[in-house]
Amino acid sequence: MNQSSRPSRTPVTLSDSINGHLNRYALAAGAAGVGVLALAQPSQARIVYSPAHVNFSQHPPVTLDLNHDGIGDFILALGGRAESNFASQYAFVYSPRSNPGNEAIATAQGGYEPAVALRAGSRIGPGRLFNGEDILAAHYSHVSRGSSSTNWEDQWANGGKGLKDRYLGLKFMIRGKVHFGWARVTVTTSGKNFTATLTGYAYETIANKSIIAGETKESDAEVAGKQVNPTSLAVPIPARQSLGMLALGAQGVPWRKKSAAATQ
């Protein structure tokens, strides 16, 4: 009986043309597989951090554009007034007319309440109390016949001792959706005077998702030494007329008799 024939094991040499087609097919299949895997991954939250170093008690009002879309989200400004028996100096944050619904975490809602000086690690998100116009640091002196008083009415100046690297909790709108962010501010004091410096800010790109104060897309060590040109942030903008009440002296400071809540 004849032995059954077996296929030859001699390797077959493919033409260069067929080889090229097979290689291209393998590459295309691999790329398609990678693409499917990439599409299958859930979208991840991303924090956009911007370093800065702007003393807004020496510059004109500073426009804070958290997401760099060319539209101001908050204004950081300095004000004050001197009279025969009353003097005041204050730094405050407020939303510009282009974004009137933007707010900062405050000790109370309504009026000119002190903004909360958040510690690093504090949560900023839904459920927090926000307000549209808030005081960062304020000092006033009142002199009357036979008596005088001087007070710090805020959390940031810490009774005249100042606070380093505390955080404003911010809520703002991007294309009609709520986003949260923070601005890091240092307040230093000298006698009855103070300075307020913006040293960085960040926001969460996922709508309505909380952010942690001090949380960045890269560590502070990685961005050390990087600074934003103050002129790119400092844009002279007239303060709201309602804030002019603060310049009316003792009668125009409705929040000065309220005790500030404990520092968060």
PDB file of all heavy atoms in Angstrom, residues 86-126:
ATOM      1  N   PHE A  86     -12.897 107.518  61.110  1.00  0.00           N
ATOM      2  CA  PHE A  86     -12.999 106.131  60.684  1.00  0.00           C
ATOM      3  C   PHE A  86     -12.042 105.883  59.520  1.00  0.00           C
ATOM      4  O   PHE A  86     -11.912 106.705  58.615  1.00  0.00           O
ATOM      5  CB  PHE A  86     -14.439 105.819  60.236  1.00  0.00           C
ATOM      6  CG  PHE A  86     -14.638 104.400  59.754  1.00  0.00           C
ATOM      7  CD1 PHE A  86     -14.890 103.379  60.651  1.00  0.00           C
ATOM      8  CD2 PHE A  86     -14.572 104.100  58.397  1.00  0.00           C
ATOM      9  CE1 PHE A  86     -15.071 102.085  60.205  1.00  0.00           C
ATOM     10  CE2 PHE A  86     -14.767 102.816  57.952  1.00  0.00           C
ATOM     11  CZ  PHE A  86     -15.010 101.789  58.863  1.00  0.00           C
ATOM     12  N   ALA A  87     -11.370 104.734  59.554  1.00  0.00           N
ATOM     13  CA  ALA A  87     -10.480 104.340  58.466  1.00  0.00           C
ATOM     14  C   ALA A  87     -10.633 102.845  58.235  1.00  0.00           C
ATOM     15  O   ALA A  87     -10.761 102.069  59.192  1.00  0.00           O
ATOM     16  CB  ALA A  87      -9.028 104.680  58.797  1.00  0.00           C
ATOM     17  N   SER A  88     -10.635 102.445  56.978  1.00  0.00           N
ATOM     18  CA  SER A  88     -10.780 101.025  56.661  1.00  0.00           C
ATOM     19  C   SER A  88      -9.888 100.657  55.487  1.00  0.00           C
ATOM     20  O   SER A  88      -9.575 101.489  54.631  1.00  0.00           O
ATOM     21  CB  SER A  88     -12.235 100.692  56.322  1.00  0.00           C
ATOM     22  OG  SER A  88     -12.639 101.373  55.139  1.00  0.00           O
ATOM     23  N   GLN A  89      -9.481  99.408  55.479  1.00  0.00           N
ATOM     24  CA  GLN A  89      -8.719  98.837  54.368  1.00  0.00           C
ATOM     25  C   GLN A  89      -9.171  97.394  54.227  1.00  0.00           C
ATOM     26  O   GLN A  89      -9.285  96.670  55.225  1.00  0.00           O
ATOM     27  CB  GLN A  89      -7.209  98.902  54.620  1.00  0.00           C
ATOM     28  CG  GLN A  89      -6.378  98.391  53.448  1.00  0.00           C
ATOM     29  CD  GLN A  89      -4.888  98.352  53.758  1.00  0.00           C
ATOM     30  OE1 GLN A  89      -4.504  98.357  54.923  1.00  0.00           O
ATOM     31  NE2 GLN A  89      -4.063  98.285  52.732  1.00  0.00           N
ATOM     32  N   TYR A  90      -9.419  96.943  53.011  1.00  0.00           N
ATOM     33  CA  TYR A  90      -9.934  95.599  52.846  1.00  0.00           C
ATOM     34  C   TYR A  90      -9.536  95.037  51.486  1.00  0.00           C
ATOM     35  O   TYR A  90      -9.339  95.768  50.511  1.00  0.00           O
ATOM     36  CB  TYR A  90     -11.462  95.569  52.980  1.00  0.00           C
ATOM     37  CG  TYR A  90     -12.168  96.703  52.284  1.00  0.00           C
ATOM     38  CD1 TYR A  90     -12.504  96.633  50.935  1.00  0.00           C
ATOM     39  CD2 TYR A  90     -12.483  97.870  52.977  1.00  0.00           C
ATOM     40  CE1 TYR A  90     -13.126  97.676  50.299  1.00  0.00           C
ATOM     41  CE2 TYR A  90     -13.111  98.922  52.349  1.00  0.00           C
ATOM     42  CZ  TYR A  90     -13.431  98.824  51.000  1.00  0.00           C
ATOM     43  OH  TYR A  90     -14.040  99.878  50.369  1.00  0.00           O
ATOM     44  N   ALA A  91      -9.389  93.732  51.443  1.00  0.00           N
ATOM     45  CA  ALA A  91      -9.233  92.983  50.191  1.00  0.00           C
ATOM     46  C   ALA A  91     -10.479  92.127  50.041  1.00  0.00           C
ATOM     47  O   ALA A  91     -10.995  91.598  51.024  1.00  0.00           O
ATOM     48  CB  ALA A  91      -7.982  92.113  50.239  1.00  0.00           C
ATOM     49  N   PHE A  92     -10.976  91.998  48.825  1.00  0.00           N
ATOM     50  CA  PHE A  92     -12.209  91.249  48.643  1.00  0.00           C
ATOM     51  C   PHE A  92     -12.189  90.513  47.304  1.00  0.00           C
ATOM     52  O   PHE A  92     -11.398  90.802  46.401  1.00  0.00           O
ATOM     53  CB  PHE A  92     -13.432  92.169  48.738  1.00  0.00           C
ATOM     54  CG  PHE A  92     -13.406  93.360  47.810  1.00  0.00           C
ATOM     55  CD1 PHE A  92     -14.031  93.320  46.577  1.00  0.00           C
ATOM     56  CD2 PHE A  92     -12.765  94.533  48.199  1.00  0.00           C
ATOM     57  CE1 PHE A  92     -14.018  94.412  45.734  1.00  0.00           C
ATOM     58  CE2 PHE A  92     -12.744  95.639  47.362  1.00  0.00           C
ATOM     59  CZ  PHE A  92     -13.364  95.584  46.122  1.00  0.00           C
ATOM     60  N   VAL A  93     -13.081  89.532  47.176  1.00  0.00           N
ATOM     61  CA  VAL A  93     -13.260  88.769  45.945  1.00  0.00           C
ATOM     62  C   VAL A  93     -14.713  88.892  45.525  1.00  0.00           C
ATOM     63  O   VAL A  93     -15.612  88.863  46.374  1.00  0.00           O
ATOM     64  CB  VAL A  93     -12.861  87.282  46.140  1.00  0.00           C
ATOM     65  CG1 VAL A  93     -13.657  86.644  47.270  1.00  0.00           C
ATOM     66  CG2 VAL A  93     -13.060  86.490  44.842  1.00  0.00           C
ATOM     67  N   TYR A  94     -14.962  89.066  44.236  1.00  0.00           N
ATOM     68  CA  TYR A  94     -16.339  89.143  43.764  1.00  0.00           C
ATOM     69  C   TYR A  94     -16.404  88.654  42.319  1.00  0.00           C
ATOM     70  O   TYR A  94     -15.383  88.564  41.613  1.00  0.00           O
ATOM     71  CB  TYR A  94     -16.905  90.556  43.901  1.00  0.00           C
ATOM     72  CG  TYR A  94     -16.268  91.608  43.011  1.00  0.00           C
ATOM     73  CD1 TYR A  94     -16.839  91.957  41.785  1.00  0.00           C
ATOM     74  CD2 TYR A  94     -15.120  92.275  43.417  1.00  0.00           C
ATOM     75  CE1 TYR A  94     -16.270  92.932  40.986  1.00  0.00           C
ATOM     76  CE2 TYR A  94     -14.548  93.249  42.628  1.00  0.00           C
ATOM     77  CZ  TYR A  94     -15.116  93.572  41.407  1.00  0.00           C
ATOM     78  OH  TYR A  94     -14.550  94.535  40.615  1.00  0.00           O
ATOM     79  N   SER A  95     -17.608  88.322  41.872  1.00  0.00           N
ATOM     80  CA  SER A  95     -17.803  87.837  40.506  1.00  0.00           C
ATOM     81  C   SER A  95     -18.002  89.025  39.573  1.00  0.00           C
ATOM     82  O   SER A  95     -18.696  89.983  39.910  1.00  0.00           O
ATOM     83  CB  SER A  95     -19.011  86.905  40.440  1.00  0.00           C
ATOM     84  OG  SER A  95     -20.173  87.552  40.929  1.00  0.00           O
ATOM     85  N   PRO A  96     -17.397  88.990  38.382  1.00  0.00           N
ATOM     86  CA  PRO A  96     -17.567  90.096  37.431  1.00  0.00           C
ATOM     87  C   PRO A  96     -18.939  90.055  36.777  1.00  0.00           C
ATOM     88  O   PRO A  96     -19.676  89.069  36.886  1.00  0.00           O
ATOM     89  CB  PRO A  96     -16.450  89.828  36.406  1.00  0.00           C
ATOM     90  CG  PRO A  96     -16.283  88.353  36.428  1.00  0.00           C
ATOM     91  CD  PRO A  96     -16.522  87.930  37.863  1.00  0.00           C
ATOM     92  N   ARG A  97     -19.274  91.104  36.080  1.00  0.00           N
ATOM     93  CA  ARG A  97     -20.586  91.166  35.426  1.00  0.00           C
ATOM     94  C   ARG A  97     -20.718  90.105  34.339  1.00  0.00           C
ATOM     95  O   ARG A  97     -21.828  89.682  34.010  1.00  0.00           O
ATOM     96  CB  ARG A  97     -20.793  92.563  34.835  1.00  0.00           C
ATOM     97  CG  ARG A  97     -20.936  93.643  35.902  1.00  0.00           C
ATOM     98  CD  ARG A  97     -21.091  95.010  35.288  1.00  0.00           C
ATOM     99  NE  ARG A  97     -21.244  96.045  36.309  1.00  0.00           N
ATOM    100  CZ  ARG A  97     -21.315  97.333  36.054  1.00  0.00           C
ATOM    101  NH1 ARG A  97     -21.251  97.761  34.799  1.00  0.00           N
ATOM    102  NH2 ARG A  97     -21.455  98.215  37.034  1.00  0.00           N
ATOM    103  N   SER A  98     -19.599  89.662  33.778  1.00  0.00           N
ATOM    104  CA  SER A  98     -19.655  88.638  32.733  1.00  0.00           C
ATOM    105  C   SER A  98     -20.051  87.275  33.293  1.00  0.00           C
ATOM    106  O   SER A  98     -20.534  86.415  32.559  1.00  0.00           O
ATOM    107  CB  SER A  98     -18.290  88.520  32.041  1.00  0.00           C
ATOM    108  OG  SER A  98     -17.265  88.241  32.990  1.00  0.00           O
ATOM    109  N   ASN A  99     -19.842  87.054  34.594  1.00  0.00           N
ATOM    110  CA  ASN A  99     -20.191  85.787  35.251  1.00  0.00           C
ATOM    111  C   ASN A  99     -20.818  86.078  36.612  1.00  0.00           C
ATOM    112  O   ASN A  99     -20.226  85.769  37.657  1.00  0.00           O
ATOM    113  CB  ASN A  99     -18.944  84.909  35.428  1.00  0.00           C
ATOM    114  CG  ASN A  99     -18.557  84.200  34.142  1.00  0.00           C
ATOM    115  OD1 ASN A  99     -19.368  83.520  33.526  1.00  0.00           O
ATOM    116  ND2 ASN A  99     -17.314  84.366  33.725  1.00  0.00           N
ATOM    117  N   PRO A 100     -22.010  86.658  36.647  1.00  0.00           N
ATOM    118  CA  PRO A 100     -22.590  87.104  37.925  1.00  0.00           C
ATOM    119  C   PRO A 100     -22.945  85.978  38.876  1.00  0.00           C
ATOM    120  O   PRO A 100     -23.118  86.210  40.067  1.00  0.00           O
ATOM    121  CB  PRO A 100     -23.853  87.860  37.492  1.00  0.00           C
ATOM    122  CG  PRO A 100     -24.222  87.259  36.170  1.00  0.00           C
ATOM    123  CD  PRO A 100     -22.903  86.939  35.508  1.00  0.00           C
ATOM    124  N   GLY A 101     -23.056  84.734  38.385  1.00  0.00           N
ATOM    125  CA  GLY A 101     -23.424  83.623  39.260  1.00  0.00           C
ATOM    126  C   GLY A 101     -22.255  82.946  39.948  1.00  0.00           C
ATOM    127  O   GLY A 101     -22.463  82.038  40.759  1.00  0.00           O
ATOM    128  N   ASN A 102     -21.033  83.365  39.667  1.00  0.00           N
ATOM    129  CA  ASN A 102     -19.871  82.755  40.298  1.00  0.00           C
ATOM    130  C   ASN A 102     -19.776  83.174  41.763  1.00  0.00           C
ATOM    131  O   ASN A 102     -20.069  84.314  42.118  1.00  0.00           O
ATOM    132  CB  ASN A 102     -18.594  83.143  39.554  1.00  0.00           C
ATOM    133  CG  ASN A 102     -18.572  82.595  38.137  1.00  0.00           C
ATOM    134  OD1 ASN A 102     -19.429  81.794  37.753  1.00  0.00           O
ATOM    135  ND2 ASN A 102     -17.591  83.003  37.368  1.00  0.00           N
ATOM    136  N   GLU A 103     -19.320  82.242  42.627  1.00  0.00           N
ATOM    137  CA  GLU A 103     -19.315  82.518  44.064  1.00  0.00           C
ATOM    138  C   GLU A 103     -18.114  81.875  44.740  1.00  0.00           C
ATOM    139  O   GLU A 103     -17.510  80.939  44.210  1.00  0.00           O
ATOM    140  CB  GLU A 103     -20.596  81.978  44.707  1.00  0.00           C
ATOM    141  CG  GLU A 103     -21.878  82.600  44.185  1.00  0.00           C
ATOM    142  CD  GLU A 103     -23.109  81.976  44.814  1.00  0.00           C
ATOM    143  OE1 GLU A 103     -23.214  80.734  44.794  1.00  0.00           O
ATOM    144  OE2 GLU A 103     -23.947  82.723  45.346  1.00  0.00           O
ATOM    145  N   ALA A 104     -17.808  82.376  45.938  1.00  0.00           N
ATOM    146  CA  ALA A 104     -16.744  81.809  46.769  1.00  0.00           C
ATOM    147  C   ALA A 104     -17.341  81.282  48.069  1.00  0.00           C
ATOM    148  O   ALA A 104     -18.392  81.759  48.520  1.00  0.00           O
ATOM    149  CB  ALA A 104     -15.682  82.870  47.072  1.00  0.00           C
ATOM    150  N   ILE A 105     -16.686  80.297  48.681  1.00  0.00           N
ATOM    151  CA  ILE A 105     -17.151  79.762  49.960  1.00  0.00           C
ATOM    152  C   ILE A 105     -17.036  80.849  51.027  1.00  0.00           C
ATOM    153  O   ILE A 105     -15.983  81.456  51.202  1.00  0.00           O
ATOM    154  CB  ILE A 105     -16.350  78.524  50.372  1.00  0.00           C
ATOM    155  CG1 ILE A 105     -16.650  77.369  49.406  1.00  0.00           C
ATOM    156  CG2 ILE A 105     -16.676  78.090  51.795  1.00  0.00           C
ATOM    157  CD1 ILE A 105     -15.900  76.091  49.719  1.00  0.00           C
ATOM    158  N   ALA A 106     -18.146  81.109  51.723  1.00  0.00           N
ATOM    159  CA  ALA A 106     -18.199  82.190  52.711  1.00  0.00           C
ATOM    160  C   ALA A 106     -18.699  81.664  54.047  1.00  0.00           C
ATOM    161  O   ALA A 106     -19.219  80.549  54.141  1.00  0.00           O
ATOM    162  CB  ALA A 106     -19.107  83.318  52.214  1.00  0.00           C
ATOM    163  N   THR A 107     -18.533  82.478  55.092  1.00  0.00           N
ATOM    164  CA  THR A 107     -19.006  82.098  56.427  1.00  0.00           C
ATOM    165  C   THR A 107     -20.519  82.196  56.534  1.00  0.00           C
ATOM    166  O   THR A 107     -21.125  81.567  57.399  1.00  0.00           O
ATOM    167  CB  THR A 107     -18.361  83.000  57.491  1.00  0.00           C
ATOM    168  OG1 THR A 107     -18.615  84.376  57.157  1.00  0.00           O
ATOM    169  CG2 THR A 107     -16.855  82.790  57.536  1.00  0.00           C
ATOM    170  N   ALA A 108     -21.139  83.011  55.676  1.00  0.00           N
ATOM    171  CA  ALA A 108     -22.595  83.153  55.665  1.00  0.00           C
ATOM    172  C   ALA A 108     -23.004  83.631  54.293  1.00  0.00           C
ATOM    173  O   ALA A 108     -22.171  84.055  53.486  1.00  0.00           O
ATOM    174  CB  ALA A 108     -23.067  84.121  56.743  1.00  0.00           C
ATOM    175  N   GLN A 109     -24.284  83.549  54.000  1.00  0.00           N
ATOM    176  CA  GLN A 109     -24.779  83.935  52.684  1.00  0.00           C
ATOM    177  C   GLN A 109     -25.472  85.282  52.773  1.00  0.00           C
ATOM    178  O   GLN A 109     -26.259  85.533  53.673  1.00  0.00           O
ATOM    179  CB  GLN A 109     -25.751  82.880  52.150  1.00  0.00           C
ATOM    180  CG  GLN A 109     -26.085  83.042  50.678  1.00  0.00           C
ATOM    181  CD  GLN A 109     -26.859  81.849  50.145  1.00  0.00           C
ATOM    182  OE1 GLN A 109     -27.650  81.256  50.858  1.00  0.00           O
ATOM    183  NE2 GLN A 109     -26.635  81.508  48.889  1.00  0.00           N
ATOM    184  N   GLY A 110     -25.146  86.162  51.846  1.00  0.00           N
ATOM    185  CA  GLY A 110     -25.742  87.487  51.828  1.00  0.00           C
ATOM    186  C   GLY A 110     -24.846  88.519  52.486  1.00  0.00           C
ATOM    187  O   GLY A 110     -24.094  88.215  53.409  1.00  0.00           O
ATOM    188  N   GLY A 111     -24.896  89.750  51.985  1.00  0.00           N
ATOM    189  CA  GLY A 111     -24.056  90.802  52.550  1.00  0.00           C
ATOM    190  C   GLY A 111     -22.603  90.616  52.173  1.00  0.00           C
ATOM    191  O   GLY A 111     -22.258  89.899  51.237  1.00  0.00           O
ATOM    192  N   TYR A 112     -21.736  91.242  52.931  1.00  0.00           N
ATOM    193  CA  TYR A 112     -20.305  91.177  52.659  1.00  0.00           C
ATOM    194  C   TYR A 112     -19.647  90.345  53.747  1.00  0.00           C
ATOM    195  O   TYR A 112     -18.988  90.856  54.645  1.00  0.00           O
ATOM    196  CB  TYR A 112     -19.722  92.592  52.582  1.00  0.00           C
ATOM    197  CG  TYR A 112     -20.484  93.473  51.631  1.00  0.00           C
ATOM    198  CD1 TYR A 112     -21.363  94.430  52.100  1.00  0.00           C
ATOM    199  CD2 TYR A 112     -20.340  93.304  50.260  1.00  0.00           C
ATOM    200  CE1 TYR A 112     -22.091  95.216  51.217  1.00  0.00           C
ATOM    201  CE2 TYR A 112     -21.059  94.085  49.377  1.00  0.00           C
ATOM    202  CZ  TYR A 112     -21.928  95.040  49.857  1.00  0.00           C
ATOM    203  OH  TYR A 112     -22.652  95.805  48.983  1.00  0.00           O
ATOM    204  N   GLU A 113     -19.844  89.051  53.661  1.00  0.00           N
ATOM    205  CA  GLU A 113     -19.346  88.148  54.694  1.00  0.00           C
ATOM    206  C   GLU A 113     -17.893  87.792  54.439  1.00  0.00           C
ATOM    207  O   GLU A 113     -17.435  87.779  53.294  1.00  0.00           O
ATOM    208  CB  GLU A 113     -20.188  86.874  54.732  1.00  0.00           C
ATOM    209  CG  GLU A 113     -21.663  87.114  54.997  1.00  0.00           C
ATOM    210  CD  GLU A 113     -21.925  87.702  56.368  1.00  0.00           C
ATOM    211  OE1 GLU A 113     -21.067  87.555  57.254  1.00  0.00           O
ATOM    212  OE2 GLU A 113     -22.989  88.318  56.552  1.00  0.00           O
ATOM    213  N   PRO A 114     -17.147  87.465  55.496  1.00  0.00           N
ATOM    214  CA  PRO A 114     -15.768  87.016  55.289  1.00  0.00           C
ATOM    215  C   PRO A 114     -15.724  85.707  54.506  1.00  0.00           C
ATOM    216  O   PRO A 114     -16.503  84.784  54.760  1.00  0.00           O
ATOM    217  CB  PRO A 114     -15.248  86.825  56.719  1.00  0.00           C
ATOM    218  CG  PRO A 114     -16.117  87.698  57.569  1.00  0.00           C
ATOM    219  CD  PRO A 114     -17.468  87.637  56.929  1.00  0.00           C
ATOM    220  N   ALA A 115     -14.840  85.627  53.530  1.00  0.00           N
ATOM    221  CA  ALA A 115     -14.615  84.378  52.815  1.00  0.00           C
ATOM    222  C   ALA A 115     -13.868  83.420  53.739  1.00  0.00           C
ATOM    223  O   ALA A 115     -13.030  83.832  54.548  1.00  0.00           O
ATOM    224  CB  ALA A 115     -13.791  84.637  51.554  1.00  0.00           C
ATOM    225  N   VAL A 116     -14.167  82.136  53.633  1.00  0.00           N
ATOM    226  CA  VAL A 116     -13.533  81.141  54.498  1.00  0.00           C
ATOM    227  C   VAL A 116     -12.104  80.900  54.036  1.00  0.00           C
ATOM    228  O   VAL A 116     -11.840  80.686  52.850  1.00  0.00           O
ATOM    229  CB  VAL A 116     -14.326  79.823  54.477  1.00  0.00           C
ATOM    230  CG1 VAL A 116     -13.633  78.766  55.328  1.00  0.00           C
ATOM    231  CG2 VAL A 116     -15.744  80.056  54.994  1.00  0.00           C
ATOM    232  N   ALA A 117     -11.168  80.945  54.965  1.00  0.00           N
ATOM    233  CA  ALA A 117      -9.758  80.666  54.684  1.00  0.00           C
ATOM    234  C   ALA A 117      -9.534  79.161  54.824  1.00  0.00           C
ATOM    235  O   ALA A 117      -9.195  78.665  55.897  1.00  0.00           O
ATOM    236  CB  ALA A 117      -8.859  81.449  55.637  1.00  0.00           C
ATOM    237  N   LEU A 118      -9.754  78.432  53.738  1.00  0.00           N
ATOM    238  CA  LEU A 118      -9.675  76.979  53.786  1.00  0.00           C
ATOM    239  C   LEU A 118      -8.245  76.486  53.953  1.00  0.00           C
ATOM    240  O   LEU A 118      -7.307  77.057  53.405  1.00  0.00           O
ATOM    241  CB  LEU A 118     -10.250  76.387  52.497  1.00  0.00           C
ATOM    242  CG  LEU A 118     -11.728  76.623  52.209  1.00  0.00           C
ATOM    243  CD1 LEU A 118     -12.058  76.173  50.791  1.00  0.00           C
ATOM    244  CD2 LEU A 118     -12.599  75.886  53.222  1.00  0.00           C
ATOM    245  N   ARG A 119      -8.099  75.408  54.682  1.00  0.00           N
ATOM    246  CA  ARG A 119      -6.814  74.728  54.793  1.00  0.00           C
ATOM    247  C   ARG A 119      -6.635  73.780  53.610  1.00  0.00           C
ATOM    248  O   ARG A 119      -7.601  73.335  52.999  1.00  0.00           O
ATOM    249  CB  ARG A 119      -6.724  73.937  56.099  1.00  0.00           C
ATOM    250  CG  ARG A 119      -6.810  74.800  57.355  1.00  0.00           C
ATOM    251  CD  ARG A 119      -6.775  73.915  58.594  1.00  0.00           C
ATOM    252  NE  ARG A 119      -6.926  74.686  59.817  1.00  0.00           N
ATOM    253  CZ  ARG A 119      -5.912  75.238  60.477  1.00  0.00           C
ATOM    254  NH1 ARG A 119      -4.682  75.093  60.012  1.00  0.00           N
ATOM    255  NH2 ARG A 119      -6.117  75.932  61.583  1.00  0.00           N
ATOM    256  N   ALA A 120      -5.372  73.460  53.297  1.00  0.00           N
ATOM    257  CA  ALA A 120      -5.090  72.459  52.267  1.00  0.00           C
ATOM    258  C   ALA A 120      -5.768  71.153  52.657  1.00  0.00           C
ATOM    259  O   ALA A 120      -5.744  70.750  53.818  1.00  0.00           O
ATOM    260  CB  ALA A 120      -3.588  72.262  52.121  1.00  0.00           C
ATOM    261  N   GLY A 121      -6.392  70.495  51.689  1.00  0.00           N
ATOM    262  CA  GLY A 121      -7.086  69.246  51.954  1.00  0.00           C
ATOM    263  C   GLY A 121      -8.572  69.392  52.165  1.00  0.00           C
ATOM    264  O   GLY A 121      -9.285  68.393  52.233  1.00  0.00           O
ATOM    265  N   SER A 122      -9.075  70.632  52.250  1.00  0.00           N
ATOM    266  CA  SER A 122     -10.515  70.860  52.414  1.00  0.00           C
ATOM    267  C   SER A 122     -11.249  70.568  51.113  1.00  0.00           C
ATOM    268  O   SER A 122     -10.746  70.860  50.021  1.00  0.00           O
ATOM    269  CB  SER A 122     -10.779  72.302  52.843  1.00  0.00           C
ATOM    270  OG  SER A 122     -10.147  72.603  54.069  1.00  0.00           O
ATOM    271  N   ARG A 123     -12.434  70.018  51.221  1.00  0.00           N
ATOM    272  CA  ARG A 123     -13.232  69.709  50.035  1.00  0.00           C
ATOM    273  C   ARG A 123     -13.990  70.951  49.578  1.00  0.00           C
ATOM    274  O   ARG A 123     -14.565  71.679  50.370  1.00  0.00           O
ATOM    275  CB  ARG A 123     -14.224  68.583  50.325  1.00  0.00           C
ATOM    276  CG  ARG A 123     -15.012  68.114  49.095  1.00  0.00           C
ATOM    277  CD  ARG A 123     -16.079  67.114  49.473  1.00  0.00           C
ATOM    278  NE  ARG A 123     -17.075  67.712  50.357  1.00  0.00           N
ATOM    279  CZ  ARG A 123     -18.107  68.444  49.922  1.00  0.00           C
ATOM    280  NH1 ARG A 123     -18.269  68.655  48.622  1.00  0.00           N
ATOM    281  NH2 ARG A 123     -18.969  68.955  50.769  1.00  0.00           N
ATOM    282  N   ILE A 124     -13.998  71.165  48.275  1.00  0.00           N
ATOM    283  CA  ILE A 124     -14.727  72.271  47.660  1.00  0.00           C
ATOM    284  C   ILE A 124     -15.682  71.660  46.642  1.00  0.00           C
ATOM    285  O   ILE A 124     -15.250  71.055  45.659  1.00  0.00           O
ATOM    286  CB  ILE A 124     -13.766  73.242  46.962  1.00  0.00           C
ATOM    287  CG1 ILE A 124     -12.733  73.783  47.947  1.00  0.00           C
ATOM    288  CG2 ILE A 124     -14.531  74.385  46.293  1.00  0.00           C
ATOM    289  CD1 ILE A 124     -11.553  74.459  47.282  1.00  0.00           C
ATOM    290  N   GLY A 125     -16.984  71.769  46.902  1.00  0.00           N
ATOM    291  CA  GLY A 125     -17.927  71.142  45.993  1.00  0.00           C
ATOM    292  C   GLY A 125     -19.355  71.335  46.432  1.00  0.00           C
ATOM    293  O   GLY A 125     -19.668  72.227  47.243  1.00  0.00           O
ATOM    294  N   PRO A 126     -20.263  70.510  45.906  1.00  0.00           N
ATOM    295  CA  PRO A 126     -21.684  70.631  46.257  1.00  0.00           C
ATOM    296  C   PRO A 126     -21.892  70.517  47.766  1.00  0.00           C
ATOM    297  O   PRO A 126     -21.206  69.774  48.452  1.00  0.00           O
ATOM    298  CB  PRO A 126     -22.319  69.438  45.521  1.00  0.00           C
ATOM    299  CG  PRO A 126     -21.380  69.134  44.403  1.00  0.00           C
ATOM    300  CD  PRO A 126     -20.013  69.424  44.934  1.00  0.00           C
TER     301      PRO A 126
END
